Amino acid sequence: MLSGGARTAVRAWTVLVLVFLYAPLLLVVVNAFNASRTFAFPPSGFTLRWWADAWNSDGMWTSLANSVLVGLGATAIALVLGTMIAFAVQRHRFFGRNAISFLVVLPITLPGIVTGIALNATFTSALGVTLGLATVIVGHATFCIVIVFNNTQARLRRLGTDLEDASADLGASSWQTFRFVTFPMMRGALVAGAILAFALSFDEIVVTTFTAGPAVQTLPIWIFGNLFRPNQAPVINVVAAALTVLAVIPVWLAQRFGGDPATTRV
């Protein structure tokens, strides 16, 4: 048990950490309504002009569409491959199982610039592929697979095989067992993994820089490219503020669907 002074110190430290994390985000939201282009603080006035400019920005909408398309493509690939690998590693025993698990997780631990350089060299030099949206999708899938794999494997590890064995004992085929027993129990983990993978892909900038080529621009690259342009700075703050608010949704959904299913009901 902590003493009263220790509990007070822990609470104070927690508050300081939260302020350190969220005060800059709050400042971005405030500057999205700041009438001053120089972001004087406190704000000299409040306006919705920058929101109208952002809404009418063709570059922003094009970049947003590219980011959504890349995120959906990378998430689809990650769902298929990550789930298959997780089932193979968790449900079967074979030579090299631990090595495969290690190699699947490795990409997310590598610095993004290393992954980007490696993918760029592979696409342009080894395969002779023109960089574009397809190469960005493949590049993002390399680390999105890890998210789905970890979520799926963790859920499979907690579930065990008792209900699947009972289904087989009652005469169900492998497909029936998967459809009526395994998949309903795995659905939450798959949804959570997909949401987190999409969010990770949507935010990625380093790997995208090396795999997109000059003709493709995602929203993070568009934000970075316009960040230091004086006329675009207020619009960037608006986009950043909107993304800050929208980022709450995937986090909430991932927590909502990522919990353990009720495995006690048969």
Side-chain angles (χ1 to χ4, degrees):
M1 294 291 295
L2 295 176
S3 64
R7 285 196 296 269
T8 301
V10 170
R11 292 192 186 102
W13 179 253
T14 302
V15 171
L16 287 174
V17 171
L18 291 176
V19 170
F20 177 78
L21 290 175
Y22 291 103
L25 297 178
L26 180 61
L27 184 61
V28 169
V29 175
V30 171
N31 278 333
F33 298 93
N34 194 341
S36 173
R37 286 185 179 272
T38 59
F39 307 130
F41 196 85
S44 58
F46 291 93
T47 180
L48 295 176
R49 173 189 172 186
W50 315 128
W51 290 83
D53 290 346
W55 183 265
N56 295 320
S57 173
D58 293 334
M60 187 277 293
W61 287 113
T62 301
S63 301
L64 176 62
N66 287 337
S67 288
V68 171
L69 181 60
V70 169
L72 291 175
T75 300
I77 295 174
L79 270 177
V80 174
L81 297 182
T83 303
M84 292 174 65
I85 298 171
F87 269 92
V89 169
Q90 190 60 35
R91 287 288 191 259
H92 302 279
R93 298 292 181 269
F94 53 89
F95 177 77
R97 171 173 166 267
N98 291 333
I100 291 177
S101 181
F102 172 78
L103 291 174
V104 171
V105 177
L106 182 61
I108 204 170
T109 66
L110 293 174
I113 192 170
V114 174
T115 303
I117 291 173
L119 290 171
N120 181 276
T122 301
F123 289 137
T124 59
S125 300
L127 300 178
V129 176
T130 302
L131 298 180
L133 278 178
T135 55
V136 178
I137 291 173
V138 173
H140 285 200
T142 59
F143 53 81
C144 288
I145 288 175
V146 183
I147 305 299
V148 177
F149 172 79
N150 284 338
N151 269 34
T152 305
Q153 187 182 36
R155 177 61 58 83
L156 288 172
R157 188 181 293 115
R158 290 194 295 267
L159 289 178
T161 60
D162 292 344
L163 292 179
E164 293 171 336
D165 293 339
S167 175
D169 289 341
L170 291 173
S173 64
S174 298
W175 169 246
Q176 289 174 322
T177 298
F178 176 80
R179 180 182 176 185
F180 296 109
V181 179
T182 306
F183 181 73
M185 294 189 298
M186 293 297 305
R187 187 164 45 209
L190 295 176
V191 172
I195 293 171
L196 293 175
F198 179 85
L200 186 63
S201 170
F202 191 89
D203 182 59
E204 176 59 37
I205 185 172
V206 178
V207 173
T208 308
T209 302
F210 286 92
T211 57
V216 175
Q217 200 173 49
T218 60
L219 190 60
I221 291 181
W222 180 84
I223 291 175
F224 185 77
N226 290 276
L227 182 61
F228 303 105
R229 297 179 180 177
N231 292 333
Q232 289 294 319
V235 176
I236 296 302
N237 272 277
V238 169
V239 176
L243 292 178
T244 299
V245 175
L246 292 176
V248 176
I249 298 175
V251 174
W252 180 81
L253 289 175
Q255 290 184 337
R256 172 68 177 80
F257 292 103
D260 287 330
T263 58
T264 56
R265 298 180 182 179
V266 179

